[in-house]
Amino acid sequence: MKKLLKLTPMFLLLIVLSSCSSVRVATDYDREANFENYKTFAFFKPGIDKAEINDLDKRRILRAIESELMAKGYTKSENPDMLVSIFTKSNQRVDIYNNAWGSGAWGWGGYGGWGWRSGWNNNQVSTTTEGVLYIDLIDANKKELIWQGSGTGNLETRSVEKKEARINEFVSQMLAQFPPEKK
């Protein structure tokens, strides 16, 4: 039992580290929209121009969206049924890991009051930048939002290939939930 308790922090750390590489996806949509009516798309330049991301990454995102939509049978058009826009934001994520190892225990510490006593107590703080990518699909005729996907995850990577793969992962996981299933 003691060995299991000593290994628990390691297992938790592994779970946290493996979850850092995943993309957390959320979607929302207009329940009144008939998604079967949408066959064509175009990019909404005014919305895309406002996205606070460098032009290289914008092009990577747009190529990934275009590829995913075309794989689903949608066609890029000058006279589209649906407009595609993106926007981004970033958040600073702070993770604190309390790795308490050793023979210490909680108890009365004299003039220090209750708290951890003796043993090795090591707190580790990790900060990463998490990016959030939003994909908006807009009815071209009504100019109304019909579907929105958001993907949140760690974007920092030094390799161009890894960055491109990460962007593709974001877009793929988000658009996997488009169009929404009929209920």
Side-chain angles (χ1 to χ4, degrees):
M1 183 64 169
K2 286 183 180 182
K3 281 186 179 184
L4 182 61
L5 288 175
K6 285 184 179 183
L7 292 177
T8 300
M10 278 299 240
F11 287 122
L12 291 175
L13 182 61
L14 287 174
I15 290 169
V16 169
L17 289 176
S18 66
S19 69
C20 290
S21 66
S22 67
V23 177
R24 295 178 308 282
V25 173
T27 61
D28 194 9
Y29 63 95
D30 180 356
R31 294 174 63 89
E32 303 298 317
N34 184 354
F35 288 93
E36 292 176 1
N37 293 338
Y38 301 102
K39 306 286 183 210
T40 59
F41 72 95
F43 292 109
F44 184 63
K45 187 168 174 22
I48 292 168
D49 286 345
K50 292 179 184 175
E52 296 179 8
I53 190 170
N54 71 55
D55 288 342
L56 292 171
D57 286 338
K58 271 186 200 177
R59 285 194 298 269
R60 288 179 181 112
I61 292 168
L62 297 178
R63 280 194 302 264
I65 292 170
E66 183 175 328
S67 175
E68 288 292 323
L69 288 176
M70 291 180 95
K72 290 178 174 283
Y74 295 91
T75 307
K76 194 171 180 182
S77 170
E78 294 292 324
N79 189 20
D81 305 321
M82 186 171 57
L83 298 171
V84 179
S85 187
I86 63 168
F87 67 98
T88 60
K89 67 180 186 178
S90 63
N91 303 317
Q92 193 70 16
R93 179 179 171 151
V94 179
D95 294 312
I96 300 171
Y97 305 101
N98 182 355
N99 299 321
W101 296 87
S103 60
W106 285 95
W108 183 256
Y111 45 153
W114 280 96
W116 183 256
R117 301 295 173 240
S118 77
W120 176 60
N121 189 13
N122 183 19
N123 292 327
Q124 294 178 355
V125 178
S126 163
T127 58
T128 56
T129 301
E130 273 192 335
V132 184
L133 170 64
Y134 293 89
I135 299 176
D136 290 345
L137 301 181
I138 303 159
D139 183 294
N141 295 322
K142 298 177 186 176
K143 305 292 189 252
E144 293 177 353
L145 183 66
I146 56 169
W147 185 90
Q148 183 179 66
S150 67
T152 305
N154 187 348
L155 289 176
E156 294 183 48
T157 180
R158 299 184 197 283
S159 159
V160 173
E161 292 80 14
K162 287 181 181 178
K163 182 185 280 192
E164 194 162 313
R166 188 70 169 150
I167 287 171
N168 289 338
E169 179 185 8
F170 264 70
V171 172
S172 174
Q173 287 189 27
M174 289 165 50
L175 289 177
Q177 298 183 32
F178 178 80
E181 294 180 17
K182 287 184 180 181
K183 294 193 177 178

